[in-house]
């Protein structure tokens, strides 16, 4: 799942100029994710059962909840700004520049393991930060989290 998400965001970054403003961003990104999941399923030929194309198409056809999407984007950007500079730099190299941990390790003079740990911690911090902000909105709409 993490690989599909990473590949989805890499593809989204590369194809950002093809998105038509005013159209459904969530549907656009879900389409990319669906194709990435199908590509990965076919490429890996895993020995255990995975989701079939028909299941992926059915999941794609379901209307995603978009109520909080705009908030999530704003909160994500705010939370990204709270990352330590080196963690933010590693995240930018991974997702904006589509570099693999090996290349990031060379550029940052870190071990590959340190890069992977840094990326994992940054993703966790971002997820938790956005979730906390959304929870504050749920409990007290309009309030600013500390």
């Amino acid at each position: 799942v993490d690989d599909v998400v990473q590949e989805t965001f890499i593809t989204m970054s590369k194809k950002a100029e093809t998105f038509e403003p005013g159209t459904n961003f969530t549907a656009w990104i879900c389409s990319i994710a669906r194709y990435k999941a199908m590509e990965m399923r076919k490429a890996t030929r895993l020995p255990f059962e995975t989701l079939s194309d028909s299941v992926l198409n059915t999941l794609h056809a379901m209307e995603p909840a978009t109520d909080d999407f705009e908030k999530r984007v704003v909160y994500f950007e705010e939370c990204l700004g709270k990352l330590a500079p080196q963690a933010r730099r590693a995240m930018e190299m991974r997702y904006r520049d589509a570099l693999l941990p090996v290349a990031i390790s060379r550029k940052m003079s870190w071990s590959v393991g340190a890069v992977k740990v840094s990326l994992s911690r940054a993703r966790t911090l971002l997820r938790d930060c956005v979730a906390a902000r959304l929870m504050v909105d749920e409990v007290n709409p309009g309030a600013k989290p500390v």
Side-chain angles (χ1 to χ4, degrees):
V1 171
D2 287 340
D3 291 342
V4 171
V5 170
Q6 287 178 5
E7 291 301 319
T8 298
F9 281 102
I10 288 169
T11 301
M12 180 191 70
S13 297
K14 290 178 181 175
K15 294 185 172 195
E17 69 279 351
T18 67
F19 176 72
E20 296 287 332
T23 61
N24 188 335
F25 179 80
T26 304
W28 181 70
I29 193 80
C30 286
S31 290
I32 293 171
R34 184 176 115 240
Y35 287 112
K36 288 297 169 187
M38 287 189 297
E39 284 175 16
M40 190 159 293
R41 186 176 60 80
K42 287 176 180 149
T44 57
R45 300 202 193 290
L46 298 172
F48 53 87
E49 192 168 323
T50 60
L51 297 177
S52 68
D53 287 345
S54 63
V55 171
L56 289 171
N57 287 328
T58 301
L59 290 172
H60 175 68
M62 297 171 65
E63 185 62 33
T66 58
D67 295 343
D68 293 335
F69 181 75
E70 289 79 16
K71 285 184 201 176
R72 287 176 187 270
V73 170
V74 170
Y75 294 160
F76 177 81
E77 290 172 353
E78 290 173 4
C79 293
L80 191 60
K82 293 184 175 200
L83 287 178
Q86 292 293 71
R88 188 170 49 251
R89 183 172 169 231
M91 290 290 283
E92 287 171 353
M93 282 191 262
R94 178 67 186 107
Y95 296 105
R96 185 192 62 209
D97 303 337
L99 296 178
L100 295 174
V102 172
I104 296 169
S105 72
R106 288 187 203 120
K107 288 183 175 274
M108 296 185 76
S109 300
W110 289 1
S111 71
V112 174
V115 170
K116 289 180 179 181
V117 168
S118 178
L119 292 171
S120 177
R121 286 181 181 164
R123 285 190 295 263
T124 299
L125 287 170
L126 290 169
R127 182 187 65 234
D128 292 348
C129 179
V130 171
R133 292 182 181 292
L134 289 170
M135 189 177 297
V136 167
D137 276 355
E138 246 179 59
V139 173
N140 190 2
K144 296 282 182 193
V146 191

